Amino acid sequence: MCELYSKQDTLALRRKHIAPSCKVFFAADPIKIVRAQGQYMFDEKGEQYLDCINNVAHVGHCHPEVVKAAQKQMELLNTNSRFLHDNIVEYAKRLSATLPDRLSVCYFTNSGSEANDLALRLARQFRGHQDVITLDHAYHGHLSSLIEISPYKFQKGKDVKKEFVHVAPAPDTYRGKYREDHTDPASAYADEVKKIIDEAHNSGRKIAAFIAESMQSCGGQIIPPAGYFQKVAEYVHGAGGVFIADEVQVGFGRVGTHFWSFQMFGEDFVPDIVTMGKPMGNGHPVACVVTTKEIAEAFSSSGMEYFNTYGGNPVSSAVGLAILDVIENEDLQGNATRVGNYLTKLLNKQKAKHTLIGDIRGVGLFIGIDLVKDHQERTPATAEAQHIIYKMKEKRVLLSADGPYRNVLKIKPPMCFTEEDAQFMVDQLDEILTGLEEAVGAKTESVISENTPCRTKMPEEAHSELLSDGSPDPKENPSRKRNGLCTDKHSLLSKRLKT
């Protein structure tokens, strides 16, 4: 492998020249990746890793057709988007054909953050309203305008929620306010949005937009209940606002059954604005906002020109067109359905086998494994999740953990992921979970044989260790104090999970 520096030198230079807030995967033991192909990545020693993290490399790392399209266009022309060129209009036409008819006007940008920022501008210009409703634990980008509407970020920092931002409960039927045993969780969660609208109006404020990922990613792979988006859209439209569907992480066929994730909720739900990015360029920086003619004309009427130097440039458009071709020619949507269903079936078998798995949820190749300490209280197994992703790395499988408690294993691999890859991933996970359970069982038996039985959930020291990474305290499951006699099996586990 060709390297400029040894791994240690690369780490040292990164510490010296790269900002400390720019984190790497597996910070305690980072991997140095030097090349990738398809669903596999390779380190400087040539070791192969199965990539279950990179939804950005949507059609597979370094896909030859995408590389060829970029190289061919770069050899010919790349310039700013004010010059007339066929690629941008062809790409806009092809993208629009995948969406409902009324979504037909495109604004090209370079990143999902730029796209979401522009979507907010469009929404605010449309009616002259300013306020935004967002979901708890949401993340929509790194620009200041988006940190303000991303509780996933501003709740962790020193920023306070702005007066024009309103946070609705995430429509999580496993861990949220209204769960799977509720008679109508969709209406209950939508009514929370209605309540926010009413309170805003009573305070003299006006709603510009409701923004949500079609499926929450950083929030823990949350799939909203059927009917939720329709009811929210009705309330938001009634308030003079628009509905923004953030497809930056979950679009382009990842759910399998549909090209866009919002489409799986029914033909009677059509957002007013759709944002897209990440998988759109397969690693190339390209993103887009698609909206209605009415909203676009209102934005134009402000008199301010929208200009993005490289948004939709000839190379970016050529890359985007090649990716659309690959998705169609290689039936990657169908693959997402077939492999996603197979993987979900395998994981549900693991759920029946391993008590650490509380919930398996997802659609297509967008799946979450919610790890819990106990099934009744659904206490997040944060330390265990971190332990598992490091152990999976040792077995050459790359996973990440996210959600408000960082206890949800996220599976969002390149769309060329196969059934063999799924089986391999699950086999490694099964082995790790089995080892954890055996270790905990042996320790527990030893403790119980020496002490009086007790029902203590978790000692304070172990609880503090679990929260040492900055994850929020799961308020619904406060830890109980040590009784001085014995230690719970999960506290024993947390003391040995040093990852």
Side-chain angles (χ1 to χ4, degrees), residues 151-334:
Y152 178 82
K153 287 292 185 181
F154 73 64
Q155 288 178 350
K156 292 182 180 179
K158 295 181 179 179
D159 293 341
V160 295
K161 184 176 75 65
K162 301 295 190 291
E163 191 178 7
F164 58 82
V165 176
H166 310 275
V167 180
D172 180 356
T173 57
Y174 179 72
R175 192 179 293 286
K177 187 174 182 178
Y178 308 108
R179 300 186 175 184
E180 70 276 6
D181 57 353
H182 192 281
T183 54
D184 187 2
S187 294
Y189 278 116
D191 286 345
E192 294 284 337
V193 176
K194 178 66 164 59
K195 190 187 304 181
I196 286 171
I197 293 171
D198 291 342
E199 290 173 354
H201 286 176
N202 290 338
S203 300
R205 308 195 68 86
K206 295 180 179 180
I207 303 299
F210 172 91
I211 184 169
E213 289 181 281
S214 301
M215 301 185 294
Q216 261 196 326
S217 182
C218 291
Q221 312 296 84
I222 305 302
I223 317 298
Y228 170 72
F229 281 150
Q230 283 90 335
K231 293 177 186 296
V232 168
E234 179 185 342
Y235 296 147
V236 171
H237 289 154
V242 302
F243 193 113
I244 303 170
D246 181 343
E247 293 267 340
V248 170
Q249 296 239 36
V250 296
F252 291 87
R254 180 158 292 277
V255 296
T257 54
H258 299 83
F259 200 81
W260 303 105
S261 295
F262 74 79
Q263 292 171 322
M264 69 181 179
F265 296 104
E267 293 183 0
D268 58 335
F269 169 63
V270 179
D272 303 291
I273 300 172
V274 176
T275 60
M276 53 193 78
K278 290 190 189 297
M280 189 173 183
N282 213 57
H284 183 88
V286 57
C288 188
V289 179
V290 186
T291 189
T292 66
K293 288 183 179 179
E294 184 183 14
I295 292 174
E297 286 170 0
F299 188 62
S300 180
S301 70
S302 69
M304 183 187 296
E305 176 189 3
Y306 177 73
F307 172 55
N308 188 313
T309 306
Y310 287 107
N313 68 73
V315 172
S316 294
S317 297
V319 167
L321 285 164
I323 289 162
L324 293 181
D325 288 340
V326 172
I327 292 171
E328 182 178 351
N329 295 339
E330 298 184 7
D331 188 27
L332 293 185
Q333 253 187 271

Side-chain angles (χ1 to χ4, degrees), residues 225-446:
Y228 170 72
F229 281 150
Q230 283 90 335
K231 293 177 186 296
V232 168
E234 179 185 342
Y235 296 147
V236 171
H237 289 154
V242 302
F243 193 113
I244 303 170
D246 181 343
E247 293 267 340
V248 170
Q249 296 239 36
V250 296
F252 291 87
R254 180 158 292 277
V255 296
T257 54
H258 299 83
F259 200 81
W260 303 105
S261 295
F262 74 79
Q263 292 171 322
M264 69 181 179
F265 296 104
E267 293 183 0
D268 58 335
F269 169 63
V270 179
D272 303 291
I273 300 172
V274 176
T275 60
M276 53 193 78
K278 290 190 189 297
M280 189 173 183
N282 213 57
H284 183 88
V286 57
C288 188
V289 179
V290 186
T291 189
T292 66
K293 288 183 179 179
E294 184 183 14
I295 292 174
E297 286 170 0
F299 188 62
S300 180
S301 70
S302 69
M304 183 187 296
E305 176 189 3
Y306 177 73
F307 172 55
N308 188 313
T309 306
Y310 287 107
N313 68 73
V315 172
S316 294
S317 297
V319 167
L321 285 164
I323 289 162
L324 293 181
D325 288 340
V326 172
I327 292 171
E328 182 178 351
N329 295 339
E330 298 184 7
D331 188 27
L332 293 185
Q333 253 187 271
N335 189 65
T337 296
R338 290 186 297 272
V339 178
N341 288 344
Y342 179 71
L343 177 54
T344 300
K345 182 179 178 180
L346 293 178
L347 290 173
N348 276 315
K349 288 182 180 178
Q350 294 299 307
K351 179 186 173 186
K353 181 179 179 182
H354 298 291
T355 57
L356 266 174
I357 299 179
D359 190 36
I360 303 294
R361 52 181 177 263
V363 186
L365 287 175
F366 182 85
I367 299 169
I369 307 172
D370 199 312
L371 300 179
V372 298
K373 294 180 182 296
D374 60 90
H375 281 245
Q376 184 175 353
E377 295 189 16
R378 303 181 180 182
T379 310
T382 301
E384 292 81 351
Q386 301 308 305
H387 176 76
I388 288 168
I389 63 173
Y390 273 85
K391 286 296 182 183
M392 290 291 278
K393 178 175 75 76
E394 291 177 10
K395 294 178 176 293
R396 305 297 184 258
V397 178
L398 303 182
L399 278 176
S400 62
D402 218 327
Y405 308 113
R406 294 186 64 204
N407 70 305
V408 179
L409 302 181
K410 297 170 65 173
I411 303 171
K412 47 188 181 67
M415 295 274 280
C416 50
F417 206 71
T418 67
E419 290 187 357
E420 291 74 20
D421 295 326
Q423 184 69 63
F424 178 75
M425 190 214 80
V426 173
D427 286 347
Q428 309 316 303
L429 181 62
D430 180 29
E431 187 177 326
I432 292 167
L433 289 170
T434 299
L436 276 175
E437 290 164 354
E438 288 175 353
V440 169
K443 289 256 186 179
T444 304
E445 287 177 13
S446 173

